[in-house]
Coordinates of all heavy atoms in Angstrom, one line a residue:
Y1222 N 12.3 -4.2 53.2 CA 12.3 -4.6 51.8 C 12.6 -3.3 51.0 O 11.7 -2.5 50.7 CB 11.0 -5.2 51.4 CG 11.1 -6.1 50.2 CD1 10.2 -7.1 50.0 CD2 12.1 -5.9 49.2 CE1 10.3 -8.0 48.9 CE2 12.2 -6.7 48.1 CZ 11.3 -7.7 47.9 OH 11.4 -8.5 46.8
S1223 N 13.9 -3.1 50.8 CA 14.4 -1.9 50.2 C 13.7 -1.6 48.8 O 13.3 -2.5 48.1 CB 15.9 -2.1 49.9 OG 16.4 -1.0 49.2
D1224 N 13.6 -0.3 48.5 CA 13.4 0.1 47.2 C 14.4 -0.5 46.3 O 15.6 -0.8 46.8 CB 13.5 1.7 47.0 CG 12.3 2.4 47.6 OD1 11.2 1.8 47.7 OD2 12.4 3.6 47.8
Y1225 N 14.1 -0.7 45.0 CA 15.1 -1.5 44.2 C 16.3 -0.7 43.8 O 17.4 -1.3 43.5 CB 14.4 -2.0 43.0 CG 13.4 -3.2 43.3 CD1 12.7 -3.7 42.3 CD2 13.2 -3.7 44.6 CE1 11.8 -4.8 42.5 CE2 12.4 -4.7 44.8 CZ 11.6 -5.3 43.8 OH 10.8 -6.3 44.1
Y1226 N 16.3 0.6 43.9 CA 17.5 1.4 43.7 C 17.6 2.4 44.8 O 17.6 3.6 44.5 CB 17.3 2.1 42.3 CG 17.0 1.1 41.2 CD1 15.7 0.9 40.8 CD2 18.0 0.4 40.6 CE1 15.4 0.0 39.8 CE2 17.7 -0.6 39.6 CZ 16.4 -0.7 39.2 OH 16.1 -1.7 38.2
P1227 N 17.9 2.0 46.0 CA 17.9 2.9 47.1 C 19.0 3.9 47.1 O 19.0 4.9 47.8 CB 18.0 1.9 48.3 CG 18.7 0.7 47.8 CD 18.2 0.6 46.4
E1228 N 20.0 3.6 46.3 CA 21.1 4.6 46.2 C 20.8 5.8 45.4 O 21.5 6.8 45.4 CB 22.4 3.9 45.6 CG 22.2 3.4 44.2 CD 21.5 2.0 44.1 OE1 21.1 1.5 45.1 OE2 21.3 1.5 42.9
L1229 N 19.7 5.8 44.6 CA 19.3 6.9 43.9 C 18.6 8.0 44.8 O 18.1 7.6 45.9 CB 18.2 6.5 42.8 CG 18.7 5.6 41.7 CD1 17.6 5.3 40.7 CD2 19.9 6.3 40.9
A1230 N 18.6 9.2 44.4 CA 18.1 10.3 45.2 C 16.6 10.0 45.5 O 15.8 9.6 44.6 CB 18.2 11.6 44.5
G1231 N 16.2 10.1 46.7 CA 14.8 9.8 47.1 C 14.6 8.3 47.4 O 13.5 8.0 47.9
G1232 N 15.5 7.4 47.2 CA 15.3 6.0 47.4 C 15.4 5.7 48.9 O 16.1 6.4 49.7
L1233 N 14.7 4.7 49.4 CA 14.6 4.4 50.8 C 15.1 3.0 51.0 O 14.5 2.0 50.6 CB 13.2 4.5 51.3 CG 12.5 5.8 51.4 CD1 11.2 5.8 52.0 CD2 13.4 6.9 52.1
P1234 N 16.3 2.8 51.7 CA 16.8 1.5 52.0 C 15.9 0.6 52.8 O 15.9 -0.6 52.7 CB 18.1 1.7 52.7 CG 18.5 3.1 52.3 CD 17.2 3.9 52.1
G1235 N 15.0 1.3 53.6 CA 14.1 0.5 54.4 C 12.8 0.1 53.7 O 12.0 -0.7 54.2
G1236 N 12.6 0.7 52.5 CA 11.5 0.3 51.7 C 10.2 1.1 51.9 O 9.9 1.6 53.0
R1237 N 9.4 1.1 50.9 CA 8.0 1.7 50.9 C 6.9 0.7 50.7 O 5.7 1.1 50.7 CB 7.9 2.7 49.8 CG 8.9 3.9 49.9 CD 8.8 4.8 48.7 NE 9.2 6.1 48.9 CZ 10.4 6.7 48.5 NH1 11.3 5.9 47.8 NH2 10.7 7.9 48.7
S1238 N 7.2 -0.6 50.5 CA 6.2 -1.6 50.2 C 5.4 -2.0 51.3 O 5.9 -2.1 52.5 CB 6.9 -2.8 49.5 OG 7.7 -2.4 48.4
I1239 N 4.1 -2.3 51.1 CA 3.2 -2.8 52.1 C 2.6 -4.1 51.5 O 2.7 -4.4 50.3 CB 2.1 -1.8 52.4 CG1 1.3 -1.4 51.2 CG2 2.7 -0.6 53.1 CD1 0.1 -0.5 51.5
E1240 N 2.0 -4.9 52.4 CA 1.3 -6.1 51.9 C 0.0 -6.2 52.8 O -0.1 -5.7 53.9 CB 2.1 -7.3 52.0 CG 2.6 -7.7 53.5 CD 3.3 -9.0 53.5 OE1 2.7 -10.0 53.0 OE2 4.4 -9.1 54.2
P1241 N -1.0 -7.0 52.3 CA -2.2 -7.2 53.1 C -2.0 -7.9 54.4 O -1.1 -8.8 54.5 CB -3.1 -8.0 52.2 CG -2.5 -7.9 50.8 CD -1.1 -7.7 51.0

Side-chain angles (χ1 to χ4, degrees):
Y1222 203 151
S1223 171
D1224 285 341
Y1225 287 179
Y1226 308 96
E1228 62 278 2
L1229 294 180
L1233 295 184
R1237 295 173 158 106
S1238 301
I1239 60 175
E1240 63 171 311

